[in-house]
Structure formats: structure tokens, C-alpha cells
Amino acid sequence: MKGWTGRFLRVNLSEQSTSVQEYEPSLARAFLGGRGFAIKILWDELRAGTAPLSPENILVFMAGPLTGLPVPSSGKLVVAAKSPLTSGYGDGNLGSRAAVMLRRAGYDGIIIKGASDKPVYLYIENEKVEFLNADDLWGMSTFDTEKKLSETHGKDVGILCIGPAGENLVLYANVHSQEGRAGGRPGMGAVMGSKKLKAIVIRGTREIETANPEELKRLGEEGYEEIKKKPNYDFWRRQGTMATVEWSQENSVLPTFNFREGEFENADKIGGYAMEKIKVLQRGCPYCNMICGNVVEDAEGKRVELDYENVAMLGSDIGLGDLKKISVLNRLADEYGIDTISVGNAIGFAMEASEKKLLKEKIEWGDFDAAKTLLEDIVFKRNDIGRLLANGVKYAAEKLGNNSKDWAMQVKGLEISAYDCHFAPAMALSFGTSPIGAHHKDAWVIAWEVQVGRESYTREKVAKVIELQRIRGGVFECLTACRLPWIELGFELDWYPKFLKAATGMEFTFDELYRIADRIYTLIRAFWIREFRGRWGREMDIPPARWFKEPLTKGRYKGKTLDLEKYNQMLSWYYEMRGWDERGVPTKKALKDLGLENIITELEKIITLK
Ligand code: PTT
Ligand code: SF4
């Protein structure tokens, strides 16, 4: 095989053993890489009903056929497992030198089973794999862990690690790299922690073999030049994702006070221009010339990288309008290895619960000290409220009762990322149908929806959500490459089949790539249904009641809410277009059309298929 290495590294932590699997080329053709490989492995090898934090869960790190090649923004990988937060399929995507090193070491992915009984880290150098003692790393922040490991193994290695949140099994702990790259929102860090795996260190010294290296080099160089010529290039390098704060405020979608509102009175103090005033450095993922990691100095004089989601969820959503203080919360989340989006939601939920007198603790909107204390309560599970919120807002609402589930802002158990949807039906559908729970990464349809008109609930909007899910959640998550050159600067999609051809020697049309994406979405859906058995239903695809029942009370869209009946109509169209029935369950025909007929028998043991 060219482009793909054709090999997975299999690791058993219980037995401290490893092996190399040479996989069939047909796997690459049908599932491409990254997320595609991840779901195929989890479907085939994970026993249904496995407890996510037990040794039986399977943790995979998967690259794709473009990872680590000299083409724009290719330094990414996917981390996936059964999620302890949602009990469904969970994954995330992070940029890291580890992605490049993994491929140079000769692997497209690592499949980790079992659990160690004491803290370990993996050291991988091409064929050599060692299980090393991590007693002295356990308890360390992600920043210190990386520092220590690069002192031991050299600055040129790639490192993936967890912080105390992952060790303490906080259900939305994530995986970190390079002091500012984070992925695996639905608790991939907790799965790593449950396996007592503190880190993975990779050094790869081999060439990644490609079908046409000269052509790939030429295309890559042209691609980088093309990106530099894009009109938004300079501004992107200045502000990166932070410019979204101003955009969200202008369009009334900036989550504010636990998604009660879409506008924040201090938005100008926490946006891209405010960030530029405190910026000290810029950095990014490997093989990227758009480097969008804006490093600022926080209120405690320390450095942290800011992104839109982090700032909105730890800022406007909790009523905090001081960027340097938000940066402290962001840095602590990075050091402890906890997802900023979920922890911001959890803090906002606690503030609202306190206001409604459902908690004995007094935690006021915008109170930085209280937010900081709460964040640490959660990471270290050091009191009742910390333990409650460490399991996510869905769980917390089940415990608190009093209709708090209406304003526990989550779908399928994953906290919603930073776009208010009181007046954005297509974006609400995107959150509702995202394959990992409420995350914007699969279909960030809101920018398009703002242009075409927000009032309507149309088939066109549903088709757009599916189109974006195919491109973003399918193609980019499998390649695996950063989608930002395309979505933010307009780097044309046509480049990617050309890169693929030069890397693998194979032609992929967009029809074929979208079919792969549909196959992956359908298999992920089957995974959820298998895990939820009799509890699966279309209500799993519906966002929280707040957006339907509680109108915005201020701003230009004051009075707006989503319409539940019309949302349900869009959901039915969505199912129809995907070939799923009215319960959101794939039909036999859809499974056959996508080459997934081999899973019909297993699914039929659980649910009647139409
Ligand atoms: C992603 C989610 C996001 S999405 C952000 S900011 W964003 C948050 N980042 C966190 C962080 O930082 N620290 C922390 N403790 N928790 C965090 N949680 C949040 O996690 C990221 C960029 C960004 S910045 C985005 S949109 C794009 N995401 C991509 C994607 O998903 N796929 C892809 N092929 N390309 C992408 N490019 C962009 O990458 P999750 P990164 Mg992340 C500090 O994974 O689980 O999906 O969560 O990868 O390397 O940090 O780059 O406004
Ligand atoms: Fe990483 Fe940003 Fe470059 Fe994407 S655009 S690869 S997130 S630095």
C-alpha cells in the first residue's frame, strides 16, 4: 500500500504486550482512515455494553492517508473510544507532532486494550515499544508532563498525554499535546486515565511511502502558496478562531448565561481585538502555514493559547467579561486536561442552579474566583458539587431534578459547544444529529444559515447539514487533515482528491468520498443503537427544552425560540435523506446500499429493522 502504512500497532496494557497488525487494503478503501478506522474497529471489536472505564474499553488513536505528509495542515489525528460521558461513540481530533511521528514510526493507528495496574506511559520508536513507569508523572499537569517527557526523550518526539482530570476519571477529561492542542471531548482522557496510561511518546524516523512523492511535493507547495493568497489569510493569522466572538455577538448566537441569551454586554472585551492586545506568541499544528494558536498572557502572568470555544464557554456563558481572567480558567483547563466546553457548561449550569436555589453553594454569574474554585472542585472531585459536575450536566440535572434537565445544555450527554440556537434551526439540527453528541465540528452550518435566513425550517437546510457532515465529519475526519484551510479561507475542496491520488495512487471521486462518509455515519449510528438497546429513540436527537420553551429576553432577536413541531419535521426529513426510519434507525436497504449488510444480523438482535 502507498499513502497508508497499512499497519496498526496493537497494545495490551494488562499483559504489557504489543503486536503489529497488517490490515487489508479493502479497509482503507471502505473507511479511508481516522474516524472511519476508529468506528470500524470499535464496532468489530468492542463488546456491546462494555463499561467505558473498564479495561475492556478500547482506545484508538487513528491517522489517515494524508497525516504527516507535506500538504497543508496534515498534522492531525483522531482519538476515539466508547465514551464514559455519553455511553455512545466518542471521538475528537487534535493537532500534534505525535500524529506525524506515528506515521513516521510506520503505523496508521494504535489500538489500546486492557489496563495497567500502575501508571505507565508508552514509548514508541519505530518497531520498539516500551511500557515505562509513570509513577513520577502521575498527578502532573499536562504542561509539566510534556516538559518532563521531552527532557527525557528529546524535543523532537511527539507526545499525547492526560492531566489530573483524566487520572481522576472526570467524564469530560480530554487528551492534550503541545500546550494548546486538545481533543476527545467526550471523555477520551478519562478512558486513558482508567487504563492508567499517562502518556504516549512517539519517535518515528521512517519515510512515509507515497505513490508519487514528486507530485505530492509539487501539489503541497502549490497548496501552501494558494492558502497564502487567500484574502482572509493575514487576518486569520492575526486572530484565528477568536474573531468568531465578534461574529457570534453580531448574530446573537454567543452563548450567554448558560445559553439563556445570545448576546453578551461585554463581548467586545473578550473578542479577537481584545485578544490581539494581550497576545505574546503564535504557534500551531505541524505542517500548517495558518498557525492559529494565539498565545496570551493571563491574569496570573502565565501563558495560554486561546480559541473561540474556550473563551465563549468560560466567558460569556458564565457571565465573565475579563479576557485575562478567562485565560486563567482556560489555562487551568489545559493544565488539568479537562474539556473547556463541557466545564464551561458545568460552571454555567451550577451558577444557574445556585440562582434558582437548587444548590446550597452561592456561585454568582461572572464570579471568577468561584468559577476557578469550582473548576478545581470538579477536576479533583473534592466535594459534593465537584463530584456531581464531574459527571456532566445531564447527570447533574438527573440528580437535581426540578426540571433542571430543561436547561442542562447537552445532547446525548455531551455538553453543547458555543452557538446559541434559539433562532438557528439548522444549527440546532446539527447539534441534535452530531454523531458524538452536541458538538459543532461535524456541521458548522450556522454561518450559512445566517446568510440564507434563520426563520425557515426547510428540506434545503437539512440537506446542507448532511452535506457538511459528509465533508467535515466524513472527509476531513478520515483524511485526517485540518478543515480550517477550507472552511475559514476557502481553500478549495478539489485539492484533496489530488493530494489523495498523489499519496495513495488511487482516484477518489467526491461521490465515493461522500459514500464513505455516509457509511461511517451509519455505522456510528448503529453503534449508538447497539449500546442503548431498548433505550434508543428519536428524543436522543432533540436539543434541550430551553431553546424551545424559553424565548431570548434581549437583543435583536428578543422573543425568538425554536419550534418543536417544525424541528421534528426537519428531523424526519433528515432521517429520510439518510435512509433511516422515523426512530432514527438505519433501514435494511440503507445498510445494504452502503455495504454494511454484514451488521444487519447483529442489529436485528437488538431492534426490529425496517
Ligand atoms: C475540540 C474542541 C474545540 S473545537 C475547542 S476550541 W475550536 C476546545 N479546545 C480545547 C482546549 O484548547 N483546551 C481544553 N482544555 N479543552 C478544549 N476543548 C475544546 O475542544 C483545534 C482546532 C480548532 S479550535 C477547531 S474548532 C478545529 N477542529 C477540527 C476538527 O475537529 N477536525 C479537523 N479535521 N480539523 C479541525 N481543525 C480545528 O482544530 P475535539 P486542536 Mg481539538 C486548548 O478535538 O474533541 O473535537 O474538541 O484539536 O489541535 O486543539 O485544534 O474553536
Ligand atoms: Fe492547527 Fe490552526 Fe493550522 Fe488547523 S489552522 S492545523 S488548528 S494551527
Side-chain angles (χ1 to χ4, degrees), residues 76 93 95 181-182 184-185 310 334 338-339 439 477 481 483:
K76 295 251 176 197
N93 186 310
R181 324 250 57 97
R185 290 195 54 217
N310 307 348
D334 288 354
I338 192 170
D339 177 50
H439 198 14
E477 290 317 296
R483 61 173 186 253

Side-chain angles (χ1 to χ4, degrees), residues 23 39 63 65 88 110 179 191 196 210 301 349 351 467 494:
Y23 64 79
I39 182 57
I110 311 175
E179 294 191 4
V191 175
K196 290 263 187 316
T210 54
F349 177 85
M351 287 173 168
E467 180 194 327
D494 292 344

Side-chain angles (χ1 to χ4, degrees), residues 153 168 212 258 299 317 329 378 381 507 516 518-520 544:
H153 296 286
N168 296 334
N212 192 339
N258 193 28
D317 198 58
L329 300 178
I378 293 170
K381 296 186 176 171
E507 300 269 3
I516 293 172
D518 289 350
R519 182 176 299 131
I520 290 164

Side-chain angles (χ1 to χ4, degrees), residues 42-337:
L42 291 176
W43 174 269
D44 286 349
E45 300 186 24
L46 189 76
R47 193 177 42 79
T50 297
L53 297 178
S54 71
E56 287 73 36
N57 199 0
I58 303 173
L59 178 68
V60 299
F61 293 88
M62 288 290 148
L66 294 188
T67 309
L69 297 179
V71 297
S73 313
S74 62
K76 295 251 176 197
L77 58 70
V78 167
V79 51
K82 176 173 173 181
S83 160
L85 183 63
T86 68
S87 293
Y89 172 78
D91 74 12
N93 186 310
L94 71 160
S96 169
R97 201 180 304 117
V100 179
M101 286 293 168
L102 174 69
R103 296 257 293 157
R104 288 199 192 147
Y107 309 106
D108 291 330
I110 311 175
I111 302 165
I112 301 173
K113 297 186 178 179
S116 172
D117 41 15
K118 51 184 176 21
V120 287
Y121 71 96
L122 278 180
Y123 178 73
I124 302 168
E125 186 174 331
N126 303 338
E127 296 302 311
K128 181 170 87 177
V129 185
E130 293 177 330
F131 297 82
L132 299 176
N133 186 306
D135 281 340
D136 59 339
L137 299 173
W138 206 249
M140 265 191 197
S141 75
T142 61
F143 292 7
D144 290 342
T145 303
E146 280 207 62
K147 201 162 156 252
K148 186 90 201 301
L149 287 171
S150 48
E151 277 164 16
T152 310
H153 296 286
K155 287 211 178 317
D156 55 336
V157 293
I159 302 171
L160 301 159
C161 69
I162 56 167
E167 296 170 12
N168 296 334
L169 310 181
V170 174
L171 297 191
Y172 41 90
N174 50 9
V175 179
H176 283 245
S177 193
Q178 299 179 204
E179 294 191 4
R181 324 250 57 97
R185 290 195 54 217
M188 301 303 102
V191 175
M192 217 165 138
S194 72
K195 297 187 177 303
K196 290 263 187 316
L197 179 61
K198 178 69 179 176
I200 302 176
V201 181
I202 316 176
R203 170 176 281 114
T205 57
R206 298 168 174 169
E207 283 276 306
I208 306 166
E209 239 183 282
T210 54
N212 192 339
E214 289 78 32
E215 175 71 353
L216 191 70
K217 185 163 175 284
R218 187 188 64 75
L219 280 170
E221 282 165 3
E222 274 178 28
Y224 285 114
E225 280 312 306
E226 181 69 21
I227 286 174
K228 276 200 224 158
K229 284 191 225 139
K230 295 290 177 193
N232 201 27
Y233 180 74
D234 291 332
F235 186 64
W236 173 263
R237 298 253 313 200
R238 272 173 52 195
Q239 295 201 356
T241 61
M242 283 297 291
T244 314
V245 176
E246 279 87 352
W247 182 88
S248 291
Q249 171 78 352
E250 269 162 36
N251 291 292
S252 270
V253 297
L254 183 66
T256 303
F257 301 128
N258 193 28
F259 290 88
R260 262 187 204 159
E261 308 293 344
E263 289 177 35
F264 182 48
E265 57 184 2
N266 291 318
D268 59 328
K269 299 196 182 110
I270 66 169
Y273 292 97
M275 181 278 297
E276 284 197 73
K277 290 192 189 129
I278 57 171
K279 180 166 164 175
V280 291
L281 195 76
Q282 188 157 359
R283 62 187 180 206
C285 310
Y287 285 116
C288 180
N289 67 342
M290 289 167 55
I291 51 168
C292 66
N294 291 302
V295 182
V296 302
E297 200 164 87
D298 69 24
E300 295 177 357
K302 297 191 176 156
R303 290 182 169 194
V304 58
E305 227 179 271
L306 295 184
D307 266 306
Y308 166 70
E309 300 290 330
N310 307 348
V311 169
M313 296 313 302
L314 293 167
S316 53
D317 198 58
I318 66 167
L320 181 59
D322 180 324
L323 192 57
K324 284 198 155 213
K325 289 183 176 166
I326 296 168
S327 305
V328 172
L329 300 178
N330 191 158
R331 174 177 50 79
L332 290 175
D334 288 354
E335 290 187 356
Y336 294 140

Side-chain angles (χ1 to χ4, degrees), residues 18 38 80 128 191 291 415 530 556 583 588 597-598 601:
T18 63
K128 181 170 87 177
V191 175
I291 51 168
E415 286 75 16
R530 185 171 72 173
R556 76 207 68 173
R583 300 164 299 172
K588 282 188 200 169
E597 54 277 351
N598 58 331
T601 313

Side-chain angles (χ1 to χ4, degrees), residues 522-565:
T522 298
L523 194 54
I524 294 178
R525 176 61 49 143
F527 184 92
W528 279 90
I529 293 164
R530 185 171 72 173
E531 291 300 334
F532 277 72
R533 302 204 148 237
R535 291 175 296 136
W536 180 266
R538 67 184 282 144
E539 64 283 358
M540 301 276 293
D541 292 334
I542 299 183
R546 160 152 288 166
W547 286 341
F548 297 97
K549 288 199 210 155
E550 295 177 28
L552 292 169
T553 69
K554 47 188 176 199
R556 76 207 68 173
Y557 298 122
K558 187 175 165 183
K560 294 289 183 195
T561 56
L562 290 177
D563 181 314
L564 184 56
E565 204 177 312

